[in-house]
Amino acid sequence: MNTAGHSEATARRGLELTPFRGLRYDPDRVGSLASVTSPPYDVVVRPDGLYHLQSADPHNIVRLILPQADNPSARNEQAAQTLRRWLAEGILTADPDPALYVYEQRDGNGMLQRGVIGALRVSDPAEGVVLPHEDVMPPVVADRAGLMRATRANLEPLLLTYHGNGGAAEVVERTVQQPPLLATTTEDGFLHSLWAITDPADTARVQADLSHHQALIADGHHRWATYRRLRAEHPSPSPWDHGLVLLVDTARYPLRVRAIHRLLHRLPVTDALAALDGLFRVRHLADVPLAGALEALADASCAGNAFLLAGDGAFHLIDRPDPDLLARTIPADRPAAWRSLDATVLHTTLLDHVWRIPEDSPAHIAYIHDTAATVAKAERDGGTAVLMHPVREDVVRDLARQGVTMPRKSTSFGPKPASGLVLRALEM
């Protein structure tokens, strides 16, 4: 991805990645590096996943990214105190020299992803350097901003992609031939490895290559919006001018795109289906396992908008929405690719008009990445799971280049970087 079509000034200011002194766990002070890691804060399925991670190790990173207390102020102060204590006790220590970090993820099925972690200059969307593709929820941005202000740290990297295969890629491939700073296998079977790039010539080559590129936010829209808010609060120059990111070159390492599902807490499946009468085709999938239901969803999605509803012990495939319903509920002044997105139909047609679910209310709706967990929670709580089919990456990228944002939580790019392998303290 290059900056063709933008002004010369913007082209000269592409991605600006800066080395930093990473904060890392001292492996001699924790049970294991794997036991202190966590998925990103918005992937942790609460409360089950939260309790599991907290019990894995008393120093698990989840105690910083998802502190537990009675109110936001208390939670943020708790995280700040915990971080200060871990630094004082040597649980977390700063690397001696500023570095860019090469980060690698492998699984047992041949998946390999490599990228570079660094402190990226925070830019506005109008610059065309970092491209968002989803809307954000202001309460989530406010929550993350409060946490970052209190801790004065970037606790987990965002996932950004660019299309390069240039000098940065050469440095990455050469770096991974050396022994890593750390290597650990998490319980999901992923091997995580980290290397430091400290040689000035290598750093300069990475920076020069990236300066010609723009990036797509693959995961971390709320945290990027938080970076922008905090940068605006602090006169430049300041440490808030930069934010912690992982940049993956998808010319070499294409990401996987998965759906993010919805859990409607207060809408039983029977009521959800009754409201669809005459508006969607509804097919009940009797005695079909989850894998088979997802195959049926994939087949139906080839012909148009389709969703799976679950929560009553069965799966219900809904598709073929009434064209008049779509015409009444979907804005006509948006690109055709946006109007036809499943996420658009879900939010503007189903949630807003048919089911009347407030999409920004945690009491009514949750966004969950894990398919089986979404179904299980719906069945346990008596709600409705809405399972989505993933959108193609080329559609996401095309809309982002047009400056068109998708409905919030439309996609899940992965694999996501593990939280807890390297942090950035703003004072170091």
Side-chain angles (χ1 to χ4, degrees):
M1 214 190 307
N2 59 42
T3 51
H6 295 283
S7 68
E8 273 190 35
T10 301
R12 285 198 301 270
R13 294 205 79 184
L15 297 167
E16 298 180 29
L17 198 66
T18 301
F20 68 103
R21 291 180 63 201
L23 283 184
R24 296 191 293 114
Y25 282 98
D26 181 342
D28 295 330
R29 303 295 304 276
V30 297
S32 72
L33 290 176
S35 68
V36 294
T37 65
S38 164
Y41 79 99
D42 58 340
V43 181
V44 176
V45 179
R46 291 175 278 186
D48 300 0
L50 183 66
Y51 296 152
H52 174 71
L53 290 165
Q54 286 178 331
S55 62
D57 190 286
H59 303 107
N60 189 282
I61 191 66
V62 78
R63 297 180 185 274
L64 298 182
I65 63 175
L66 288 173
Q68 299 300 293
D70 293 336
N71 58 71
S73 178
R75 289 194 295 270
N76 295 335
E77 180 55 31
Q78 180 185 99
Q81 291 178 356
T82 299
L83 178 57
R84 288 194 294 267
R85 185 173 69 254
W86 290 357
L87 288 169
E89 295 174 353
I91 304 299
L92 288 168
T93 60
D95 284 336
D97 300 308
L100 299 177
Y101 295 87
V102 174
Y103 175 49
E104 177 185 282
Q105 293 165 278
R106 291 178 180 265
D107 69 4
N109 301 312
M111 194 290 302
L112 170 62
Q113 178 173 291
R114 289 176 181 147
V116 180
I117 295 175
L120 184 69
R121 180 182 71 88
V122 178
S123 57
D124 293 321
E127 296 183 53
V129 176
V130 175
L131 305 176
H133 70 267
E134 288 184 359
D135 292 330
V136 298
M137 293 175 275
V140 178
V141 176
D143 173 75
R144 292 295 99 182
L147 181 63
M148 288 189 205
R149 285 192 204 98
T151 58
R152 296 190 61 80
N154 300 150
L155 300 172
E156 45 186 348
L158 286 63
L159 175 61
L160 307 185
T161 72
Y162 73 103
H163 206 73
N165 206 16
E170 188 277 329
V171 174
V172 167
E173 300 307 314
R174 181 160 38 81
T175 299
V176 299
Q177 302 306 312
Q178 305 300 316
L181 291 176
L182 66 85
T184 188
T185 301
T186 46
E187 63 180 10
D188 58 5
F190 275 86
L191 171 62
H192 305 262
S193 303
L194 196 73
W195 294 259
I197 301 173
T198 55
D199 180 80
D202 285 343
T203 299
R205 186 167 189 186
V206 171
Q207 292 173 321
D209 185 14
L210 293 177
S211 70
H212 300 292
H213 296 285
Q214 60 183 179
L216 176 74
I217 301 177
D219 185 67
H221 283 81
H222 289 91
R223 283 168 286 164
W224 183 255
T226 301
Y227 289 170
R228 291 181 52 227
R229 173 183 288 193
L230 294 173
R231 183 200 61 177
E233 292 176 1
H234 297 82
S236 185
S238 82
W240 301 99
D241 291 342
H242 295 77
L244 187 64
V245 305
L246 165 65
L247 276 164
V248 173
D249 181 356
T250 53
R252 298 183 68 89
Y253 302 105
L255 270 65
R256 298 179 303 194
V257 187
R258 293 178 174 173
I260 301 177
H261 310 296
R262 275 65 171 165
L263 175 61
L264 310 181
H265 297 297
R266 300 182 180 180
L267 182 68
V269 175
T270 52
D271 293 347
L273 293 171
L276 298 175
D277 187 33
L279 302 178
F280 280 72
R281 181 175 70 167
V282 178
R283 286 179 283 170
H284 305 285
L285 307 180
D287 300 321
V288 176
L290 176 58
L294 292 174
E295 288 181 9
L297 174 62
D299 290 342
S301 294
C302 293
N305 302 115
F307 310 89
L308 271 179
L309 304 189
D312 60 352
F315 295 101
H316 312 273
L317 181 63
I318 66 170
D319 63 356
R320 298 185 183 179
D322 174 34
D324 290 337
L325 172 68
L326 299 182
R328 293 196 311 271
T329 57
I330 296 179
D333 60 347
R334 306 295 293 274
W338 182 89
R339 296 198 305 271
S340 63
L341 289 169
D342 286 341
T344 298
V345 173
L346 173 62
H347 283 261
T348 64
T349 301
L350 285 170
L351 293 180
D352 290 351
H353 292 273
V354 177
W355 294 327
R356 300 191 180 278
I357 302 290
E359 60 183 280
D360 57 354
S361 169
H364 290 84
I365 186 170
Y367 299 84
I368 304 178
H369 295 72
D370 187 278
T371 309
T374 310
V375 175
K377 289 178 72 66
E379 292 180 346
R380 184 173 67 234
D381 302 339
T384 294
V386 183
L387 306 184
M388 311 276 289
H389 185 68
V391 65
R392 299 194 318 275
E393 182 178 359
D394 62 317
V395 173
V396 177
R397 200 176 298 275
D398 183 58
L399 286 170
R401 283 173 169 159
Q402 296 178 53
V404 178
T405 53
M406 300 167 65
R408 61 196 61 169
K409 299 294 183 181
S410 294
T411 59
S412 175
F413 284 86
K416 303 179 190 304
S419 298
L421 295 179
V422 61
L423 293 67
R424 174 180 176 250
L426 272 69
E427 277 80 14
M428 295 183 180

